[in-house]
């Protein structure tokens, strides 16, 4: 069973993105393990001497590096992602590279009718930055619009069609995870062969 890291872009009280990532964790139980981490409570990013990191950053980075992939649920603030999520990603790419070639599934919930399309487009660009270099599927964003009324009292999404869409997108994401893992293994084998030939030569 695959192991994923789940990140909510905000942990504000009543956050529907926290509800969304909790739903994903519960919904995927038995299919995949989703471990939730918080990246929104670190100090404001600033360059430090010798790339020193705030407490907790290295622990989260190690979990991301060891995971098969990452699932992020982001709100949309002013057509972008929250400052807290951007701040977390900045620390997670400062002298460390846990997202390098890591498959990331982008999801989000918004009070409005347009969902989180602009925020998801923005975070896709951030994840594509050389310092992060994550892997995402194009045109595969999962969005929950009018999110205040999207969950029942147990935290489940009430729209069956929306749940079906999530399942389809997650199936695509798992294909990406397998492809990335296969390519990484092929790269390791090629590097080992090249090193062996170098020694023999």
């Amino acid at each position: 069973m695959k192991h994923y890291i789940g990140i909510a872009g905000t942990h504000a009280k009543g956050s529907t993105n926290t509800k969304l990532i909790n739903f994903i964790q519960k919904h995927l139980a038995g299919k995949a393990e989703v471990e939730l981490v918080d990246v929104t409570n670190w100090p404001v990013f600033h360059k430090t001497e010798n790339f020193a990191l705030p407490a907790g950053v290295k622990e989260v980075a190690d979990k991301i590096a060891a995971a098969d992939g990452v699932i992020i649920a982001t709100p949309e603030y002013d057509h972008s992602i929250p400052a807290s999520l951007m701040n977390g990603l900045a620390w997670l790419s400062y002298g460390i590279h846990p997202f390098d070639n890591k498959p990331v599934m982008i999801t989000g919930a918004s009070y409005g009718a347009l969902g989180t399309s602009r925020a998801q487009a923005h975070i896709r660009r951030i994840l594509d930055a050389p310092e992060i270099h994550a892997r995402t599927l194009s045109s595969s964003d999962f969005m929950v619009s009018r999110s205040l009324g999207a969950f029942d009292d147990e935290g489940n999404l009430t729209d069956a069609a929306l749940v079906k869409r999530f399942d389809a997108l997650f199936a695509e994401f798992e294909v990406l995870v397998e492809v990335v893992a296969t390519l990484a293994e092929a790269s390791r084998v090629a590097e080992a062969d090249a090193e062996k030939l170098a020694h023999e030569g």
Side-chain angles (χ1 to χ4, degrees):
M1 188 162 58
K2 293 288 190 298
H3 178 80
Y4 299 108
I5 296 299
I7 298 173
T10 175
H11 283 279
K13 184 177 180 181
S15 165
T16 53
N17 282 276
T18 300
K19 287 184 178 181
L20 176 58
I21 204 68
N22 286 334
F23 164 77
I24 290 171
Q25 181 189 48
K26 182 170 63 173
H27 182 68
L28 293 179
K31 300 178 184 177
E33 180 185 5
V34 180
E35 179 182 359
L36 304 184
V37 300
D38 185 4
V39 306
T40 65
N41 60 353
W42 296 331
V44 173
F45 176 78
H46 62 283
K47 292 184 177 181
T48 59
E49 187 175 353
N50 298 321
F51 293 97
L53 300 170
V57 174
K58 185 63 166 58
E59 180 183 357
V60 170
D62 289 344
K63 289 183 177 185
I64 291 171
D68 294 295
V70 177
I71 304 172
I72 297 176
T74 180
E76 181 172 307
Y77 298 162
D78 299 327
H79 293 189
S80 187
I81 66 174
S84 56
L85 178 55
M86 189 179 297
N87 185 68
L89 293 173
W91 281 119
L92 288 167
S93 57
Y94 183 57
I96 53 177
H97 304 282
F99 281 100
D100 188 38
N101 280 316
K102 188 68 58 178
V104 178
M105 181 177 186
I106 304 169
T107 71
S110 170
Y111 295 174
L114 296 179
T116 55
S117 58
R118 291 159 294 197
Q120 293 194 30
H122 189 194
I123 196 172
R124 189 180 298 280
R125 293 183 64 187
I126 294 172
L127 292 170
D128 192 45
E131 296 84 358
I132 299 182
H133 195 243
R135 300 296 185 188
T136 61
L137 285 171
S138 61
S139 303
S140 62
D141 307 330
F142 178 74
M143 292 175 282
V144 179
S145 59
R146 305 191 188 281
S147 58
L148 282 176
F151 299 89
D152 64 20
D153 292 340
E154 284 72 49
N156 299 306
L157 284 171
T158 57
D159 186 338
L162 195 58
V163 175
K164 186 176 180 180
R165 173 165 170 74
F166 173 81
D167 289 339
L169 291 175
F170 183 73
E172 291 183 13
F173 177 65
E174 290 214 293
V175 172
L176 173 65
V177 170
E178 292 291 345
V179 169
V180 169
T182 300
L183 291 174
E185 179 59 26
S187 179
R188 283 192 291 268
V189 171
E191 289 176 3
D193 288 346
E195 185 176 352
K196 181 180 179 181
L197 288 172
H199 286 308
E200 291 176 350

